[in-house]
Amino acid sequence: MTDTKHSWIYNQLFVGWKPFEVKYVSVLLSLQLIVFMISPDSVIGMISGVAGVICLVYGMKGRKITFLFGIIQCLAMTYIAWQSHAYGSFVMNIIYVISQPIGWFLWGNDGAVHEFKPKTKQFLFLGSVIAWVIGWIVIGNFGGQLPYIDSANLVISLIAQTLYIFKYKENWSLWIFVNIANLLYWSLLAFNSWTGKSDIGSLGIYLSQIALQAALLFNSIYANKVWKDYETN
């Protein structure tokens, strides 16, 4: 009996899935569709949510195809961030769009990743906190919504994305922080929209982003565990 050979795209999409991963991806995608059914005023929000879930799940599995879905999600999020006056997110998503082809070329076809030494990790996280405070001040001066949270969308995400495209394990620890901040950010914007305190953006957009950030937070926690077991270069 001979082994069946599949194409690269087939291997990237369908090979090597654990039953738990299939179930949790199905739940996360279903959540996006449920949110759209509840508040169907933002197709672009649903596209962002679905593409974002798929992108990060394949990123968790260390597969290059993540960057194809990443381009779709980043373009959709750039539009959403502009509509919502989330200027930190807007700038960051432009950077995300640019980083997708860079990540494609930098990621190899194996599962090997990199890891910092303990002392370097301490400097990395201290520098991230300082950058976050500076970003908070700058975004606040430009009149962005919730600048203390939106700063995480810009500066912490920039550091995390850089580590991600260079395949450093520590990227997921930063993404967990970013996802928590984003979950709070979009929840506050949704509350303001629902109560009529703000007419910026739409409730459908905000709800889709809440669902997306909840999904990404779960995925980041799981990916942090998975990448710890990967071979280190």
Side-chain angles (χ1 to χ4, degrees):
M1 185 175 180
T2 58
D3 294 334
T4 302
K5 291 186 178 180
H6 298 294
S7 66
W8 178 86
I9 190 75
Y10 182 93
N11 289 330
Q12 287 280 305
L13 290 172
F14 302 116
V15 172
W17 287 90
K18 299 177 182 178
F20 168 74
E21 293 172 350
V22 173
K23 291 177 182 177
Y24 100 70
V25 171
S26 299
V27 170
L28 297 185
L29 291 176
S30 297
L31 181 60
Q32 292 295 322
L33 298 177
I34 290 171
V35 167
F36 180 70
M37 293 173 62
I38 293 173
S39 184
D41 62 339
S42 177
V43 175
I44 193 72
M46 184 192 68
I47 293 173
S48 170
V50 171
V53 168
I54 297 173
C55 168
L56 268 296
V57 167
Y58 280 116
M60 172 270 295
K61 296 189 72 65
R63 298 185 180 177
K64 290 178 68 171
I65 202 167
T66 179
F67 297 107
L68 297 182
F69 292 103
I71 289 177
I72 298 172
Q73 195 268 337
C74 294
L75 289 172
M77 265 304 300
T78 301
Y79 175 77
I80 289 171
W82 180 258
Q83 273 199 327
S84 305
H85 293 192
Y87 299 129
S89 293
F90 175 75
V91 173
M92 193 59 234
N93 276 281
I94 292 176
I95 296 173
Y96 284 161
V97 172
I98 297 171
S99 73
Q100 300 308 303
I102 297 174
W104 175 274
F105 287 108
L106 287 177
W107 278 34
N109 293 318
D110 56 29
V113 298
H114 310 287
E115 185 174 14
F116 289 115
K117 294 180 179 179
K119 194 169 186 64
T120 305
K121 290 181 185 180
Q122 294 176 3
F123 283 114
L124 171 66
F125 291 118
L126 176 61
S128 297
V129 171
I130 294 173
W132 168 55
V133 174
I134 294 173
W136 174 357
I137 296 171
V138 173
I139 294 173
N141 288 334
F142 277 93
Q145 294 198 81
L146 307 176
Y148 50 93
I149 301 178
D150 199 22
S151 175
N153 294 333
L154 179 57
V155 294
I156 306 299
S157 293
L158 177 59
I159 298 170
Q161 182 69 2
T162 301
L163 298 182
Y164 178 68
I165 64 176
F166 282 98
K167 257 190 170 183
Y168 276 92
K169 292 182 179 182
E170 291 77 12
N171 85 89
W172 294 112
S173 297
L174 292 179
W175 281 125
I176 290 172
F177 176 82
V178 171
N179 296 149
I180 292 173
N182 272 326
L183 189 58
L184 177 61
Y185 180 78
W186 293 106
S187 296
L188 290 172
L189 294 187
F191 178 77
N192 290 340
S193 177
W194 180 58
T195 57
K197 292 182 178 180
S198 173
D199 58 358
I200 299 173
S202 71
L203 183 60
I205 283 179
Y206 296 146
L207 291 178
S208 70
Q209 292 310 303
I210 291 172
L212 174 60
Q213 294 306 321
L216 298 187
L217 175 58
F218 181 88
N219 184 74
S220 295
I221 294 171
Y222 182 66
N224 193 48
K225 176 181 178 298
V226 171
W227 278 43
K228 284 182 179 178
D229 298 328
Y230 281 176
E231 178 186 349
T232 303
N233 280 338

